[in-house]
Amino acid sequence: MSNLTQYFQLMRHFFRQEFSALERMISPILFALVVLLVFTFTIPEVDDAWKLKMVVAQVVISSFFALQVSLSRSFEIESQDRFFEMIRVYPTRTTTFVLAKLSMVFFMATATFVSTVVLTSLLNSLDLLVWMRLPVMLEMVFVIGGLASLGTLLSAITLKAKARQVLFPLLFFPLSAPALIGASEALIDSLSNSNWTDNSRGWIVLSGAFFVILLTCALLLGGESLEAE
Amino acid sequence: MTEILNVKNLSFSFGQRPLFADVSFSLQSGRLIRLTGENGTGKSTMMLLLAGLRNGYSGTIEFNFLDNLDNRQMTSWMPADANALDPNLSAMDNLRFWQNLRGLNTDDGELRRVLANWGLEGLYKIENLPVDLFSTGMKRRLSIARLELSQTKLWLLDEPLFGLDDIACRQFRDFLGAHIQSGGSAVVITHDDRLVSNLNHDVLHLGRKGEKH
């Protein structure tokens, strides 16, 4: 059986897993919604320049914490009932497993991010079309991909750790800082200007590099960490 | 008979504490080995080593499946304390997933036939009944149904009768006998003599402090 076929089989299974327990998908989105509502009711009216910055801050912070909820649970089912050990006894490559898991996590993260963007825009009366600009979308793909890769990698590394619930956020928060800073800077610039600017280009390139590095680490180290003890 | 598993001078320690040392044996097709020993002598750990789930041992474990390079395609493992089932999915979906992972037949008719064979025929009708709601014995039966569908030659079975009722125990004994008769092989850990009493088998005893017979 080819790796590609196995990848699709695993990915199909992971999606089925997520949709069979809808609360796994809904809870991060509800979490983001609550954070956004808190922002809306606590932050006073600001001028347009500040408003854009506040929108970006709300999107990044809400999505980030909602994602953390979702990512820390991404290997939850596999860690029960020796499910993952059984997968390793089957003729599968751990890298294929990690890639399939990462694809599912990327989808979940995108759903959370997009929901957050829509809700934030509605709550702040911001035109949704500004999010369709190429630099904005590119930056969002990079930041979602980077966070999904980092989350998958850390979930894999901490799968066998006894202090998993503590270890995951301890590693995730500081390591994701570059992606969040890059995303904030690039989004503020890209949402303010309809065209590419040198500033946004620089931040987007940085986010892209961060994404590539984390994706590579997730595939290589994530697979390695799931091999036999 | 073809030798499909050859273990030489296998030793394993947890840190400074040796579990077993210099264990050697071989397994031919159509043969069954029963692993015996007191609790804590390393039987389940031996299974993990054979299944490729644990490293850090000395000695060699060699598989010889002539028609397949990846020994995992020809090996099944059944742990003692778990069934490796997705609790949110139905029996059919669980079987489909594991069959897909081996690239094997996922025809509904075939899956239902095997489920019925293990007394789970009513469950597939309720397609969405999650495995989480199954009893311990039903989960074990589903795990055995997966084994039946696996088409593997070497079975590594750690207390396979766990949770099964008398009828299922007898059925499993016949099932294991048929596997051995058809040229398959198995390494079995069981504290229930009835499982292997009517089957020709060799015994590998793991004793305290590396004692073996």
Side-chain angles (χ1 to χ4, degrees):
Chain A
M1 194 181 195
S2 73
N3 287 335
L4 190 66
T5 314
Q6 272 189 342
Y7 164 76
F8 283 116
Q9 295 295 352
L10 283 164
M11 201 169 66
R12 199 172 70 165
H13 175 73
F14 293 146
F15 274 98
R16 193 179 284 177
Q17 260 181 356
E18 290 300 323
F19 287 105
S20 67
L22 267 183
E23 58 88 19
R24 286 171 64 87
M25 186 157 202
I26 291 170
S27 60
I29 294 172
L30 284 179
F31 183 90
L33 177 62
V34 170
V35 176
L36 285 176
L37 284 173
V38 171
F39 270 120
T40 308
F41 284 101
T42 52
I43 294 174
E45 284 290 318
V46 288
D47 61 39
D48 281 352
W50 272 100
K51 184 177 163 185
L52 216 48
K53 290 183 180 180
M54 293 308 300
V55 164
V56 170
Q58 287 177 32
V59 166
V60 171
I61 291 172
S62 308
S63 320
F64 174 68
F65 282 103
L67 271 179
Q68 197 266 326
V69 174
S70 169
L71 290 172
S72 65
R73 297 165 64 185
S74 61
F75 281 83
E76 202 173 51
I77 290 175
E78 285 77 20
S79 62
Q80 298 168 7
D81 201 27
R82 289 189 178 263
F83 194 90
F84 184 67
E85 277 103 327
M86 187 62 80
I87 286 181
R88 281 162 53 199
V89 175
Y90 274 60
T92 48
R93 289 180 57 159
T94 46
T95 310
T96 311
F97 176 84
V98 171
L99 187 61
K101 183 59 96 175
L102 203 154
S103 305
M104 191 278 296
V105 169
F106 183 79
F107 171 81
M108 294 288 293
T110 305
T112 307
F113 224 90
V114 169
S115 310
T116 311
V117 162
V118 171
L119 288 167
T120 312
S121 301
L122 290 174
L123 291 168
N124 289 280
S125 310
L126 185 72
D127 187 0
L128 269 173
L129 286 176
V130 295
W131 297 96
M132 303 293 177
R133 291 173 185 163
L134 183 62
V136 176
M137 291 181 72
L138 202 57
E139 176 56 35
M140 283 184 40
V141 168
F142 286 154
V143 71
I144 293 170
L147 292 177
S149 303
L150 179 62
T152 307
L153 171 63
L154 295 180
S155 285
I157 288 173
T158 58
L159 187 64
K160 297 167 200 158
K162 285 176 183 163
R164 183 165 199 274
Q165 301 298 334
V166 179
L167 201 57
F168 184 89
L170 271 179
L171 293 169
F172 186 66
F173 290 143
L175 289 175
S176 54
L180 298 178
I181 293 167
S184 305
E185 292 285 351
L187 286 176
I188 289 170
D189 205 74
S190 306
L191 289 171
S192 319
N193 303 287
S194 53
N195 296 317
W196 288 86
T197 64
D198 285 344
N199 190 37
S200 68
R201 189 176 287 116
W203 286 112
I204 290 169
V205 168
L206 185 72
S207 298
F210 190 71
F211 165 57
V212 171
I213 291 167
L214 284 177
L215 179 66
T216 309
C217 288
L219 293 178
L220 296 179
L221 299 177
E224 190 68 27
S225 70
L226 295 174
E227 294 288 348
E229 291 166 42
Chain B
M1 283 192 292
T2 318
E3 184 178 274
I4 60 165
L5 173 65
N6 192 0
V7 174
K8 282 184 189 161
N9 304 321
L10 190 65
S11 303
F12 186 81
S13 305
F14 281 120
Q16 297 296 313
R17 184 180 152 247
L19 198 58
F20 49 77
D22 290 328
V23 177
S24 299
F25 65 92
S26 62
L27 178 64
Q28 284 76 33
S29 57
R31 296 295 300 169
L32 170 70
I33 288 180
R34 181 184 185 185
L35 264 180
T36 62
E38 292 172 37
N39 297 140
T41 49
K43 301 185 295 298
S44 293
T45 304
M46 171 78 77
M47 283 294 198
L48 294 177
L49 299 185
L50 296 178
L53 289 169
R54 199 174 262 279
N55 289 327
Y57 59 85
S58 63
T60 57
I61 300 172
E62 288 176 357
F63 294 91
N64 182 28
F65 297 115
L66 294 176
D67 50 353
N68 206 295
L69 292 174
D70 189 343
N71 59 283
R72 295 178 301 175
Q73 189 68 41
M74 290 289 117
T75 309
S76 282
W77 168 64
M78 185 184 281
D81 53 351
N83 293 298
L85 300 168
D86 187 325
N88 297 317
L89 301 184
S90 66
M92 286 287 280
D93 284 341
N94 265 287
L95 289 184
R96 261 190 221 109
F97 169 68
W98 292 110
Q99 286 292 95
N100 277 329
L101 220 50
R102 281 199 198 277
L104 296 175
N105 179 19
T106 55
D107 172 54
D108 279 5
E110 174 67 0
L111 301 188
R112 283 175 179 157
R113 183 192 67 74
V114 176
L115 282 176
N117 192 30
W118 291 99
L120 300 171
E121 66 271 25
L123 297 169
Y124 66 75
K125 290 176 186 164
I126 313 166
E127 295 284 345
N128 293 323
L129 184 70
V131 164
D132 202 25
L133 299 178
F134 284 22
S135 70
T136 306
M138 285 159 68
K139 284 178 186 164
R140 201 55 161 180
R141 282 167 183 253
L142 181 55
S143 182
I144 295 168
R146 174 178 56 204
L147 180 67
E148 182 177 343
L149 287 162
S150 70
Q151 299 178 15
T152 48
K153 289 183 177 174
L154 172 61
W155 292 356
L156 305 170
L157 309 173
D158 193 346
E159 298 292 355
L161 303 182
F162 178 74
L164 295 180
D165 57 29
D166 284 345
I167 296 169
C169 284
R170 280 197 294 275
Q171 188 183 350
F172 185 80
R173 193 172 55 207
D174 296 341
F175 173 57
L176 179 61
H179 171 67
I180 301 297
Q181 284 284 321
S182 66
S185 309
V187 181
V188 180
I189 298 172
T190 181
H191 289 284
D192 189 336
D193 291 338
R194 290 173 301 173
L195 177 63
V196 291
S197 56
N198 292 334
L199 300 172
N200 279 330
H201 65 277
D202 303 311
V203 174
L204 177 68
H205 181 77
L206 296 178
R208 293 267 172 215
K209 295 178 183 172
E211 163 210 354
K212 64 181 187 296
H213 304 287

